[in-house]
Amino acid sequence: ALKKCVSCSKWNTKEMWEKKSGILQYEINKRLALRRTGVGLLFWVITGLDFVVCVLQVFNDPIHGHMELHPLLVKIIDTPQFQRLRSIRQLGGTYFVYPGASHNRFEHSIGVAHLAGQLGQALKTKQPGLNITDRDILCVQIAGLCHDLGHGPFSHLYDGMFIPKARPGNKWKHETASLAMFDHLVKCNKLEDVMKQYGLNLSEDLDFIKEMIDRDNDKDQEWLHKGRPKDKSFLYEIVSNKTNGIDVDKFDYFARDCYHLGVQINFDYHRFLKFARVCEVDGWKHICVRDKEEDNMTEMFHTRLCLHRRAYQHKVTKIIETMITDAFLKADKHIKIEGTGKKTFRLSTAIDDMEAYTKLTDAVFEKILNCAFDAPQELRDARDILRRIINRDLYRFLGETRFEDPTEVCTNVFVGLYCITLSTIKMDYGMKREDPIDHLYFYTKHDTTRAFNRKRCQVSRIRPMCFSEQLVGFVCKKTDDRNPQADVDNFQQWCRAKDFPEYQVIFISRLLNI
């Protein structure tokens, strides 16, 4: 599709087009007569003899300023499935610790779509030989817009903490739900014809969009994707980059989360957009960056670690999310959600039906909190747990320690009358024990076509050598004033049996004032 702004000097008047053909004149008049919503820049999309008049709708965002979005993106935004994201907080339980963290998945998804378009357009402008089409960019933007459709209540709490306990053995993840929700969105809102109108080839582009939303790491030499050929493999790195973790999803949530948390950010994603280029490496085309941007990219991964330490894995955040999870587990079978064919689903089974899942948001918290006094006992128990959060009567944090291999620690341990919950907190730079910079490709200003990895001998000596750590937190669910000495004795026995450090038991005893 060829797009030109009306104000562009080369195509400065509509009359130039009207003189070309009576058919074109008829199409122009017909399209201009359509009711338009919002404001924006007018541009033309020419497909064959069809003239489609589009209005880029402008969204004002505190992070990215004025964002101009394609009308097809606006069509997707104006659906119940996407509007649902307004009621799902981006940072889950962190809002109970950081009062400013009230932003949601709705604004984040729009921001990712905007940045996906910016990066795609930047690559197209700098490297015309890549043959990036407007259709490619539009598909990448749709993937960015819809990549988080599958998140449940309180975001990662639902798929990371609640579902594994409510449905053990179920390998469900929110990306899986995003694909199902995207299909449901397109079908329910009859968007196939609209997509065709804007030039999409549904037999290719729907696969392409879904492959970008949930994509495995391409370590095999064989190209298995259906949406685009191997020579456009770099497009798959824009929204979700499995090669080194550098993608526009992180660009948006780093900037957005820091803004709402009140945390300073030093990483500048604008420099990446400015210096990004595509180079071929071992037969694969990757998005690369100038060698001088190594420190900026290192700062990006350090920002990720700092956000996990200060917000996402904050000890009070983890306690509150543990309490919400406990409440959801107790209330699970008492939460009824109507789905397809008027079939009823529970809190944990709504993931099996997208019509029911569309109705599942953070509002379930208030539904449990305000349940009737004559509700079933389990639902009242769940309500009492959530009331403890509101009244700040939280589970007691006993302490934390580091273990080389805390695999056996990730269990619930019941000691006497006290319930001790042990949870593993994993923090890294995004690639577990590896340095993500080792997987990033650089180019120099003298040769913009050859990409290379940094060798360890070329890396600054003051760079960290360890890129991950695992902490084990100890939390006591009961906070009454009874003497916990017997329970601590039993707990010490358990720690010795598991060969945990003795100093940690002394630390816990001191916290319990024994």
Side-chain angles (χ1 to χ4, degrees):
L2 172 65
K3 297 190 300 184
K4 289 294 177 181
C5 179
V6 171
S7 60
C8 180
S9 59
K10 188 173 180 180
W11 314 105
N12 52 7
T13 63
K14 299 193 300 294
E15 287 75 12
M16 291 178 61
W17 292 103
E18 292 174 353
K19 293 177 182 178
K20 294 292 183 181
S21 168
I23 297 177
L24 294 182
Q25 183 178 1
Y26 167 76
E27 289 293 333
I28 292 173
N29 294 334
K30 183 177 71 173
R31 300 298 182 182
L32 285 176
L34 293 176
R35 179 177 177 270
R36 301 180 191 140
T37 58
V39 295
L41 297 178
L42 187 66
F43 69 92
W44 313 101
V45 176
I46 308 173
T47 54
L49 291 179
D50 190 19
F51 239 122
V52 182
V53 174
C54 302
V55 176
L56 290 181
Q57 187 160 331
V58 176
F59 291 75
N60 191 8
D61 182 68
I63 309 302
H64 308 301
H66 291 87
M67 306 180 297
E68 298 167 358
L69 297 186
H70 189 281
L72 180 55
L73 301 181
V74 179
K75 288 281 187 181
I76 294 173
I77 291 171
D78 294 338
T79 62
Q81 292 75 24
F82 192 88
Q83 291 292 321
R84 164 184 177 269
L85 298 181
R86 289 183 183 271
S87 301
I88 296 180
R89 288 197 184 94
Q90 175 81 6
L91 299 186
T94 307
Y95 179 49
F96 290 96
V97 180
Y98 286 85
S102 60
H103 55 303
N104 51 55
R105 293 279 164 183
F106 179 85
E107 55 203 81
H108 163 64
S109 298
I110 295 176
V112 174
H114 167 70
L115 290 181
Q118 281 201 326
L119 180 53
Q121 192 61 49
L123 295 175
K124 178 184 178 183
T125 302
K126 285 184 285 190
Q127 297 177 266
L130 296 174
N131 297 319
I132 300 175
T133 65
D134 290 335
R135 184 161 63 97
D136 292 334
I137 296 176
L138 181 56
C139 288
V140 172
Q141 285 188 286
I142 293 173
L145 188 69
C146 299
H147 78 287
D148 274 349
L149 284 177
H151 269 295
F154 293 89
S155 291
H156 290 290
L157 179 153
Y158 186 80
D159 65 321
M161 299 176 69
F162 171 67
I163 289 296
K165 292 182 178 180
R167 301 177 66 173
N170 191 315
K171 301 299 183 180
W172 180 87
K173 55 183 182 178
H174 77 267
E175 291 89 352
T176 305
S178 293
L179 297 182
M181 186 66 80
F182 176 71
D183 287 336
H184 180 64
L185 181 153
V186 173
K187 182 179 179 181
C188 286
N189 298 281
K190 301 178 180 178
L191 293 183
E192 293 95 339
D193 291 338
V194 180
M195 290 178 168
K196 292 178 182 177
Q197 177 186 346
Y198 288 110
L200 295 194
N201 182 345
L202 300 189
S203 61
E204 295 178 359
D205 294 339
L206 288 181
D207 284 333
F208 180 39
I209 292 167
K210 290 191 284 187
E211 287 166 352
M212 286 187 286
I213 292 175
D214 187 14
R215 170 176 171 250
D216 294 327
N217 196 352
D218 300 314
K219 293 184 178 180
D220 300 328
Q221 292 300 315
E222 184 180 358
W223 183 251
L224 301 176
H225 295 305
K226 301 176 182 178
R228 290 295 185 273
K230 186 178 177 180
D231 64 346
K232 289 192 175 182
S233 58
F234 60 91
L235 292 175
Y236 289 85
E237 297 179 352
I238 294 178
V239 175
S240 179
N241 191 339
K242 302 298 183 181
T243 303
N244 50 46
I246 299 174
D247 50 52
V248 295
D249 179 26
K250 292 183 180 63
F251 293 173
D252 182 86
Y253 83 70
F254 287 165
R256 195 172 301 278
D257 290 355
C258 286
Y259 175 84
H260 288 280
L261 290 168
V263 175
Q264 187 68 36
I265 182 172
N266 294 320
F267 166 66
D268 184 4
Y269 71 83
H270 294 98
R271 290 187 64 85
F272 182 88
L273 298 179
K274 182 67 68 175
F275 291 106
R277 289 186 66 86
V278 173
C279 300
E280 187 168 332
V281 182
D282 298 329
W284 296 82
K285 290 185 178 180
H286 293 283
I287 298 178
C288 310
V289 70
R290 268 288 300 277
D291 51 353
K292 67 177 182 179
E293 290 302 298
E294 178 184 347
D295 288 340
N296 189 36
M297 305 319 298
T298 301
E299 194 61 46
M300 186 196 98
F301 293 109
H302 185 255
T303 297
R304 181 187 186 276
L305 178 65
C306 290
L307 284 172
H308 274 270
R309 279 179 172 166
R310 299 175 64 176
Y312 310 156
Q313 308 279 7
H314 188 284
K315 63 182 181 181
V316 181
T317 296
K318 298 303 292 183
I319 287 175
I320 289 174
E321 290 188 340
T322 299
M323 295 178 73
I324 295 174
T325 301
D326 289 347
F328 282 2
L329 290 170
K330 289 182 179 294
D332 183 16
K333 63 183 181 181
H334 303 288
I335 301 297
K336 307 296 183 183
I337 307 169
E338 185 178 307
T340 304
K342 296 187 177 180
K343 186 179 178 181
T344 302
F345 294 86
R346 304 201 314 262
L347 184 57
S348 61
T349 60
I351 60 177
D352 300 326
D353 183 85
M354 289 301 104
E355 185 173 331
Y357 198 52
T358 302
K359 303 172 185 177
L360 186 58
T361 65
D362 290 1
V364 70
F365 184 99
E366 300 294 333
K367 185 175 183 178
I368 298 172
L369 186 64
N370 299 319
C371 72
F373 285 97
D374 59 349
Q377 183 61 48
E378 284 186 315
L379 191 56
R380 283 182 283 155
D381 291 343
R383 178 193 63 196
D384 292 341
I385 294 175
L386 298 187
R387 281 182 175 176
R388 287 182 61 179
I389 296 176
I390 299 301
N391 295 327
R392 217 62 178 178
D393 179 22
L394 306 179
Y395 293 166
R396 180 186 297 157
F397 177 73
L398 303 180
E400 65 183 22
T401 187
R402 291 170 174 81
F403 290 89
E404 289 297 324
D405 183 15
T407 305
E408 297 184 15
V409 184
C410 293
T411 57
N412 287 335
V413 184
F414 296 89
V415 187
L417 296 174
Y418 278 73
C419 177
I420 308 295
T421 296
L422 309 181
S423 61
T424 298
I425 300 173
K426 299 180 180 180
M427 290 184 286
D428 55 49
Y429 274 62
M431 300 196 73
K432 298 181 180 179
R433 295 178 179 272
E434 298 183 59
D435 182 358
I437 298 297
D438 291 342
H439 298 267
L440 179 60
Y441 294 103
F442 297 94
Y443 67 89
T444 66
K445 67 177 181 179
H446 304 293
D447 188 353
T448 60
T449 61
R450 188 181 69 87
F452 59 91
N453 291 119
R454 282 289 194 200
K455 296 180 180 179
R456 178 53 58 179
C457 61
Q458 298 173 314
V459 175
S460 171
R461 292 181 180 273
I462 62 174
R463 284 267 301 281
M465 299 300 293
C466 179
F467 299 94
S468 69
E469 68 175 0
Q470 300 186 79
L471 307 178
V472 180
F474 297 77
V475 175
C476 181
K477 292 186 177 182
K478 295 191 176 182
T479 56
D480 54 50
D481 296 328
R482 300 174 61 177
N483 188 351
Q485 180 60 58
D487 300 299
V488 171
D489 291 340
N490 291 334
F491 184 64
Q492 289 176 345
Q493 272 186 357
W494 181 84
C495 284
R496 295 189 190 101
K498 295 294 182 181
D499 198 26
F500 289 167
E502 191 71 23
Y503 76 88
Q504 183 62 41
V505 177
I506 298 173
F507 177 52
I508 293 175
S509 299
R510 189 183 302 120
L511 283 173
L512 294 177
N513 297 319
I514 297 175

